[in-house]
Amino acid sequence: MANHSTRRDAIKKVATMALAGTALSSLTSRVSAHEQALSDKLKGRIRHSVCAWCYNGIPLEELCKAAQHIGIQSIDLVSPKDFDVIKKYDLTSAMVASNSKEWGITRGWNRKEHHAQLIEYFKPMIDATAAAGFTNLICFSGNREGLDDQQGIENCAEGLKKIIGYAEKKKVTLVMELLNSKVDHGDYQCDHTAWGVELCKAVGSDNFKLLYDIYHMQIMEGDVIRTIRENQQYIAHYHTGGVPGRHEIDETQELFYPAIMQAVLDTGFKGFVAQEFVPKREDKLASLKQGVQICDV
């Protein structure tokens, strides 16, 4: 009987230890998951967006779901036809697209002969942006095609002044993107911050500002942080991208985004920063999450 009792006690002890081990394993898993959730939680100092075109292989609804999960609040560069989709997921569009077959990066406001048609095109775009409750609508200078920079500023300002009052009434800001003309957009005129700032001054409205694309301006002029600090009052929005290549913004490229984001915050900026890199890795959404976390200072 004593031997039987000893065996029963041993079996009970082993069973108790096994149950404790299972419970401990379960507890460890829960703690690990909780810690991961805490580490993934964004600080909320940067308002995050993502450019839809960088994820053309992913349906917009899937991108919206991923954005929600990551903590992204906006989808950049969507057209009015897609507003209902992003609103379905409680997202905004911090920068509305305005490209068409006729108007866009290469053909814009720097040609007087375009102004009448551009005004006709942009008014309904402003209406749609305002009706959706969004505030920023992208626009472009167009290519030089032999036009000198000062004349380009004067021409853009002349055309934009004809519609900026309408944008003001609708509480919409027209935002011209700074793009590089060295690698991606040869001959584009709004290719330096100084040019864009002079145009802002010429238009003379708080409803006309710049989209400072960090990738593009690193290629054209560098000196990113000082430029942001000195010109923050003319900047409505930021785009990211790894240099060179416009891929992930991690250690594979030359920019240190945490310092750039801190400089943006230090200016008092309250707008959005949108990821606009084209993922090189197979898991594109993992790259997007990583980019957001890198910028979440």
Side-chain angles (χ1 to χ4, degrees), residues 47-51 72-76 94 237 272-275:
R47 299 170 76 193
H48 298 279
S49 185
V50 57
C51 292
I72 294 169
Q73 299 170 280
S74 159
I75 308 291
D76 261 34
H237 195 69
F272 280 82
V273 174
Q275 302 296 327

Side-chain angles (χ1 to χ4, degrees), residues 200-213:
C200 288
K201 291 176 180 177
V203 175
S205 170
D206 285 340
N207 288 68
F208 178 77
K209 291 194 174 183
L210 301 175
L211 193 170
Y212 187 89
D213 189 301

Side-chain angles (χ1 to χ4, degrees), residues 103-276:
W103 308 113
I105 291 171
T106 62
R107 299 184 80 240
W109 290 94
N110 65 350
R111 295 283 169 180
K112 292 184 180 182
E113 59 268 28
H114 296 165
H115 289 172
Q117 290 172 287
L118 278 167
I119 290 166
E120 184 179 349
Y121 173 72
F122 266 86
K123 277 192 173 181
M125 290 297 298
I126 291 170
D127 289 340
T129 301
F134 305 149
T135 57
N136 290 330
L137 176 62
I138 201 168
C139 67
F140 302 96
S141 65
N143 285 0
R144 288 183 176 86
E145 297 181 357
L147 187 69
D148 73 67
D149 282 350
Q150 183 56 41
Q151 191 61 55
I153 289 171
E154 292 174 11
N155 289 357
C156 282
E158 182 180 321
L160 288 162
K161 283 180 178 179
K162 294 175 182 177
I163 196 172
I164 203 66
Y166 189 78
E168 289 169 350
K169 289 177 184 176
K170 295 286 183 171
K171 295 181 172 55
V172 170
T173 300
L174 296 180
V175 186
M176 186 170 286
E177 185 165 14
L178 293 157
L179 302 172
N180 85 75
S181 59
K182 181 180 178 181
V183 177
D184 299 286
H185 303 288
D187 202 41
Y188 182 72
Q189 191 146 44
C190 186
D191 62 352
H192 281 82
T193 306
W195 191 94
V197 167
E198 287 306 308
L199 178 56
C200 288
K201 291 176 180 177
V203 175
S205 170
D206 285 340
N207 288 68
F208 178 77
K209 291 194 174 183
L210 301 175
L211 193 170
Y212 187 89
D213 189 301
I214 298 162
Y215 159 79
H216 287 297
M217 290 301 96
Q218 170 67 3
I219 289 172
M220 291 305 296
E221 58 193 26
D223 201 14
V224 170
I225 288 176
R226 185 185 64 83
T227 302
I228 288 170
R229 286 172 175 164
E230 292 187 354
N231 299 286
Q232 53 85 20
Q233 67 268 37
Y234 303 108
I235 299 171
H237 195 69
Y238 290 91
H239 280 171
T240 74
V243 181
R246 200 180 195 152
H247 298 305
E248 280 81 355
I249 62 170
D250 56 15
E251 70 283 352
T252 62
Q253 52 89 56
E254 68 191 29
L255 289 162
F256 185 63
Y257 270 93
I260 296 170
M261 291 299 103
Q262 187 58 55
V264 168
L265 286 176
D266 289 345
T267 68
F269 182 72
K270 302 298 183 186
F272 280 82
V273 174
Q275 302 296 327
E276 199 188 21

